[in-house]
């Protein structure tokens, strides 16, 4: 029982990161119909922001804030330089453009910083653990869960209780109607990118705290999982993206923990098969978007 | 007039070809991006540095200038196969392949037809030489490293080990398995195993499994590389487990040593150690003076040693014929290297070389522990 509870903590910790990344993807997709595969590079850039600021002697907490700021800056730059010029392009063109941006940034990271992972050495107290009801729980996974839920709570508040949040939700429903009502499209889109950048930055903070290094390919795999999460949850559905993230995280952790050794090499295949099975039963995802953007 | 011009052009071309024919052409697969770039980059830098030194002295053995053809594989095996074919078409008589078993095996399939000797920059999985008699390792193989490390672990009194391995590569799977075999042969016990995927996002589930094991291990061994090892060790220490961790030579990097407290005391194998006054220390000085870069891992010096292995094989063969060079390379006994001496004779072309065991200190330095050759009595078979 204790083992199961500990694995649930692990699942919440991993699922939370996927949920934040998936939410970042979903917010942008719901408004501009862009599946941004360069979202992983926002996370990587945030990680390098942390690394560089610690290298230049900033205290760890300041470095984390700088990392989130770096991801935010990169998200806004990406929108302004690449995607604003492609406003109205079809989904495939946007997708290919996002792949191109992703590749360009990876090559820049490899050649401009290092092809090797670079270490991030946080204070040893951040790697500690504590006992609760006979379980040993790590400080970082706990912080990860708390930060995830705090971020999601704040975002929910912004989307539901602020004028910009309502404009973004309205844009997700019918962007053209929103423009006809006089809401500035560029601002709504920029804010959606900014939110996705902040979420990627927070994910970078948790990711680097858990993994201790940053490399040019750091963002690729988590964003791939986040993309799967958005499809599972319902492409374009914000709540679905969060749910999908937690489901994928839980599936990964629980199969890692409880699959017999002989089935372990098939773990990823089993997780993805479960996702496909869920989509066969609910083709629009677990919590489909109201606009019905099918996955 | 046209005929004269044509004749003149043919003559110049013929003279040029004759001059080039004296060069020994070496094709180099070097990933400049992707997962192999951190290993191919330093290895190629060390190789090129020593080839330049050799050329400055008149070429291999003072008589045969070397011409390099270097092509980027982007860490993609399909691209690697393509560039090897291109290099052969351009006259390559020797291929130096990427620092991993899989691209080397793919390259060796292409070079097999002409028996062109093919040597990996730093692939250590012993299976890579099984492709044919023209394929060579250059670094101490995983089974040698595992045997030496297992011997050290048993000497230190460790009784039980948990193996953390990934079936996604020959290196990450083979290293821990060879260790388990040698450790068991010395009386130790493998009490558990965990599998992970390369680039796995999270290791907390594995750590929780180890934490809840019926028989807690007193040692954890993994051949995980970056960024998986940093993620694993942070998850392990973050969960409050201070079990001793040991690993393969891939932990011998400044990135791992820079992880702070979580890696203090981690023990790993290594290909060499730059003792004061050694040829290795001299190489570091020369390389730094010439390039301004300090070689901070063994791939640089091993790249240099590959140049010396080729030179000694051609000297022994007395020719540059590919088959003769392969045969001569396979017969080298106690060849002189900078990182360590090497013997191919009597092996399956993974060289016998000294293995260093090192420990990461609290200050993040690499501390020398021991240097020895693998004991043939406990050397696991590939």
């Amino acid at each position: 029982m204790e083992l199961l509870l500990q694995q649930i903590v692990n699942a919440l910790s991993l699922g939370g990161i996927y949920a934040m990344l998936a939410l970042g993807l979903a917010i942008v997709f719901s408004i501009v119909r862009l599946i941004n595969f360069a979202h992983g590079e926002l996370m990587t850039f945030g990680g390098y922001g942390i690394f560089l600021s610690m290298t230049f002697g900033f205290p760890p907490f300041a470095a984390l804030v700088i990392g989130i700021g770096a991801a935010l800056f990169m998200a806004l730059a990406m929108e302004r330089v690449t995607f604003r010029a492609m406003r109205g392009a079809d989904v495939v063109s946007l997708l290919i453009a996002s792949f191109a941006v992703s590749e360009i940034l990876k090559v820049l990271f490899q050649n401009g910083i290092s092809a090797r992972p670079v270490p991030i050495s946080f204070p040893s107290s951040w790697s500690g653990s504590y006992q609760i009801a006979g379980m040993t729980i790590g400080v970082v996974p706990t912080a990860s869960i708390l930060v995830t839920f705090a971020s999601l709570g704040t975002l929910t508040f912004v989307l539901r209780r602020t004028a910009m949040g309502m404009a973004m939700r309205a844009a997700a429903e019918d962007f053209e109607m929103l423009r006809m009502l006089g809401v500035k499209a560029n601002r709504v889109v920029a804010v959606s990118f900014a939110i996705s950048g902040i979420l990627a930055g927070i994910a970078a903070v948790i990711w680097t705290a858990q993994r201790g290094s940053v490399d040019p390919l750091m963002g690729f795999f988590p964003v791939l999982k986040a993309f799967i999460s958005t499809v599972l949850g319902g492409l374009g559905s914000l709540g679905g993206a969060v749910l999908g993230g937690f489901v994928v995280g839980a599936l990964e952790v629980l199969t890692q923990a409880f699959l017999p050794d002989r089935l372990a090499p098939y773990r990823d295949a089993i997780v993805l098969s479960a996702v496909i099975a869920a989509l066969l039963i609910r083709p629009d995802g677990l919590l489909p978007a109201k606009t019905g953007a099918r996955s | 007039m046209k005929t004269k011009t044509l004749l003149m052009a043919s003559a110049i071309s013929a003279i040029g070809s004759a001059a080039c024919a004296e060069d020994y052409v070496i094709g180099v697969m070097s990933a400049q991006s992707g997962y192999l770039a951190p290993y191919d980059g330093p290895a190629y830098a060390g190789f090129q540095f020593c080839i330049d030194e050799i050329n400055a002295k008149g070429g291999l053995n003072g008589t045969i200038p070397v011409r390099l053809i270097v092509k980027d594989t982007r860490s993609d095996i399909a691209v690697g196969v393509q560039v090897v074919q291109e290099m052969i078409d351009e006259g390559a008589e020797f291929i130096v392949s990427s620092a991993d078993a899989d691209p080397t095996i793919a390259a060796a399939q292409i070079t097999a037809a002409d028996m062109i000797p093919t040597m990996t920059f730093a692939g250590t999985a012993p299976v890579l030489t099984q492709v044919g008699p023209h394929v060579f390792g250059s670094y101490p193989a995983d089974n040698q490293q595992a045997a030496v490390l297992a011997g050290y672990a048993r000497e230190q009194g460790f009784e039980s080990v948990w193996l953390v391995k990934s079936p996604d590569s020959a290196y990450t799977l083979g290293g821990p398995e060879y260790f388990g075999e040698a450790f068991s042969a010395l009386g130790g016990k493998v009490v558990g195993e965990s599998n992970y995927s390369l680039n796995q996002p999270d290791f907390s589930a594995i750590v929780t499994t180890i934490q809840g094991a019926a028989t807690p291990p007193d040692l954890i061994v993994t051949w995980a590389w970056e960024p998986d090892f940093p993620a694993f060790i942070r998850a392990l220490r973050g969960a409050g487990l201070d079990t001793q961790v040991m690993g393969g030579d891939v932990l011998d990097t400044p990135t791992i040593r820079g992880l702070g407290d979580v890696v203090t005391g981690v023990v790993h194998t290594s290909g060499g150690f730059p003792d004061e006054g050694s040829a290795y220390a001299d190489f570091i000085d020369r390389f730094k003076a010439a390039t301004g870069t300090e070689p901070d891992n063994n791939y640089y010096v091993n790249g240099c040693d590959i140049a010396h292995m080729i030179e000694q094989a051609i000297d022994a063969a007395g020719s540059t014929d590919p088959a003769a060079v392969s045969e001569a390379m396979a017969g080298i006994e106690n060849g002189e290297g900078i990182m360590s001496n090497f013997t191919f004779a009597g092996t399956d072309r993974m060289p016998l070389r000294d293995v260093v065991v090192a420990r990461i200190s609290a200050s993040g330095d690499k501390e020398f522990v021991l240097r020895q050759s693998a004991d043939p009595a406990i050397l696991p078979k590939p």
Side-chain angles (χ1 to χ4, degrees):
Chain A
M1 187 60 189
E2 283 168 10
L3 191 65
L4 180 64
L5 286 173
Q6 278 181 314
Q7 297 293 13
I8 289 171
V9 170
N10 297 335
L12 284 173
S13 172
L14 180 62
I17 295 174
Y18 289 163
M20 278 197 289
L21 290 169
L23 192 55
L25 284 175
I27 282 175
V28 171
F29 178 81
S30 66
I31 293 172
V32 289
R33 293 292 179 262
L34 161 67
I35 300 168
N36 187 11
F37 266 97
H39 195 67
E41 279 57 57
L42 299 180
M43 188 178 164
T44 308
F45 195 66
Y48 280 124
I50 298 169
F51 165 72
L52 290 173
S53 46
M54 288 185 77
T55 304
F56 285 113
F58 285 87
F61 273 112
L64 299 186
V65 174
I66 291 170
I68 294 170
L72 167 64
F73 168 79
M74 179 58 81
L76 289 172
M78 212 179 263
E79 190 273 330
R80 186 68 188 84
V81 174
T82 308
F83 297 117
R84 187 173 294 187
M86 297 188 70
R87 189 79 50 79
D90 62 85
V91 172
V92 176
S93 301
L94 288 167
L95 183 67
I96 290 169
S98 79
F99 274 125
V101 171
S102 167
E103 285 304 311
I104 289 167
L105 288 173
K106 270 189 228 144
V107 171
L108 287 175
F109 295 150
Q110 281 185 332
N111 294 293
I113 301 176
S114 173
R116 298 190 70 90
V118 291
I120 293 183
S121 177
F122 287 120
S124 55
S125 57
W126 293 19
S127 305
S129 61
Y130 59 93
Q131 298 280 330
I132 183 167
M135 294 190 299
T136 306
I137 309 285
V139 170
V140 171
T142 309
S144 154
I145 293 168
L146 293 176
V147 169
T148 300
F149 282 106
S151 305
L152 297 180
T154 306
L155 187 62
T156 305
F157 176 80
V158 169
L159 289 176
R160 290 188 183 280
R161 301 289 178 201
T162 66
M164 181 51 75
M166 280 186 268
M168 290 175 65
R169 284 193 295 138
E173 295 278 326
D174 192 335
F175 194 47
E176 289 308 313
M177 175 59 77
L178 192 74
R179 295 179 78 172
M180 282 192 275
L181 291 172
V183 176
K184 288 182 178 170
N186 282 346
R187 184 181 295 177
V188 173
V189 173
V191 170
S192 71
F193 268 88
I195 291 174
S196 78
I198 290 171
L199 290 171
I202 296 171
V205 165
I206 299 171
W207 199 257
T208 49
Q210 287 185 343
R211 296 178 67 87
S213 68
V214 187
D215 63 276
L217 306 178
M218 181 180 94
F220 177 76
F221 286 100
V223 166
L224 192 62
K225 301 291 171 61
F227 175 66
I228 293 167
S229 303
T230 57
V231 173
L232 176 64
L235 209 52
S237 159
L238 305 187
V242 174
L243 178 63
F246 279 110
V247 169
V248 171
L251 281 173
E252 284 200 350
V253 168
L254 297 178
T255 49
Q256 172 82 70
F258 299 113
L259 266 187
D261 278 349
R262 63 194 166 82
L263 291 179
Y266 304 102
R267 191 164 52 88
D268 287 342
I270 290 168
V271 170
L272 291 174
S273 299
V275 170
I276 291 170
L279 289 173
L280 286 174
I281 297 165
R282 294 180 67 88
D284 292 333
L286 300 175
L287 287 176
K290 286 179 185 166
T291 46
R294 287 187 63 134
S295 39
Chain B
M1 183 64 191
K2 272 187 179 174
T3 313
K4 267 187 175 177
T5 309
L6 202 61
L7 283 173
M8 184 67 80
S10 304
I12 290 168
S13 167
I15 290 165
S17 300
C20 289
E22 291 179 3
D23 289 347
Y24 187 64
V25 183
I26 301 176
V28 182
M29 295 168 72
S30 177
Q32 285 156 34
S33 59
Y35 80 101
L36 286 170
Y39 314 102
D40 280 11
Y44 170 58
F47 179 68
Q48 187 187 29
F49 173 73
C50 287
I51 288 292
D52 288 347
E53 282 190 334
I54 287 169
N55 276 339
K57 293 176 187 165
L60 297 167
N61 305 305
T63 56
I64 309 170
V66 176
R67 181 165 63 89
L68 297 182
I69 305 172
V70 187
K71 292 196 185 255
D72 180 18
T73 67
R74 304 199 302 271
S75 300
D76 183 326
I77 290 181
V79 175
V81 167
Q82 181 192 329
V83 302
V84 168
Q85 188 59 61
E86 287 171 5
M87 292 189 292
I88 292 172
D89 293 344
E90 291 172 35
E93 297 158 275
F94 196 107
I95 295 291
V96 180
S97 60
S98 278
D100 192 18
D102 300 333
T104 300
I105 289 168
Q109 311 280 355
I110 307 296
T111 54
D114 297 320
M115 285 296 285
I116 294 173
T118 304
M119 178 175 278
T120 173
F121 262 139
T124 51
V127 293
L128 70 86
T129 59
Q130 307 299 312
V131 180
H134 64 300
V135 192
F136 297 87
S138 59
Y139 211 77
D142 293 335
N143 53 346
Q144 295 175 39
Q145 294 183 39
V148 171
L149 192 64
Y152 170 73
R154 288 294 294 138
E155 276 172 24
Q156 295 302 304
F158 291 104
E159 298 285 341
S160 58
V161 64
W162 192 287
L163 305 176
V164 178
K165 56 190 187 176
S166 170
D168 294 350
S169 89
Y171 179 87
T172 51
L173 179 67
E177 290 191 339
Y178 292 135
F179 181 93
E181 202 177 313
F183 192 71
S184 301
L186 292 168
K189 191 176 178 192
V190 178
V191 293
E193 295 181 355
S194 294
N195 284 286
Y196 68 94
S197 307
L198 295 184
N199 286 298
Q200 180 161 309
D202 182 66
F203 283 83
S204 54
I206 288 177
V207 168
T208 303
T209 304
I210 297 173
Q211 216 166 11
T215 311
D218 53 19
L219 175 65
I220 297 170
V221 166
T222 181
W223 251 235
W225 57 49
E226 302 159 2
D228 296 328
F229 183 81
F232 169 69
I233 195 77
R234 283 196 72 85
L236 188 77
R237 299 300 183 231
L241 280 179
D242 57 1
T243 314
Q244 173 67 50
V245 173
M246 294 187 184
D249 63 295
V250 80
L251 301 186
D252 187 8
T253 74
T255 301
I256 300 294
R257 291 191 286 275
L259 290 173
D261 296 343
V262 291
V263 290
T264 300
V266 167
V267 171
H268 60 82
T269 53
S270 179
F273 192 88
D275 299 302
E276 203 174 325
S278 64
Y280 189 170
D282 181 53
F283 166 80
I284 290 175
D285 292 341
R286 290 199 325 269
F287 189 92
K288 196 174 169 184
T291 65
T293 303
E294 176 148 8
D296 57 8
N297 59 59
N298 287 327
Y299 302 115
Y300 288 93
V301 69
N302 196 60
C304 177
D305 273 350
I306 290 172
H308 295 127
M309 288 175 186
I310 295 171
E311 188 171 42
Q312 289 171 48
I314 287 177
D315 186 32
S319 103
T320 56
D321 174 66
V325 172
S326 288
E327 195 178 332
M329 182 79 81
I332 292 178
E333 196 163 351
N334 203 26
E336 195 176 329
I338 294 177
M339 187 173 80
S340 62
N341 287 356
F342 49 89
T343 292
F344 286 101
T347 72
D348 52 1
R349 298 173 309 287
M350 287 301 285
L352 277 175
R353 304 185 79 172
D354 281 350
V355 175
V356 166
V357 174
R359 182 188 300 106
I360 300 175
S361 71
S363 56
D365 293 322
K366 177 180 168 184
E367 287 178 349
F368 180 82
V369 175
L370 63 86
R371 177 187 280 116
Q372 61 181 222
S373 295
D375 178 359
I378 61 160
L379 189 65
K381 295 278 178 281

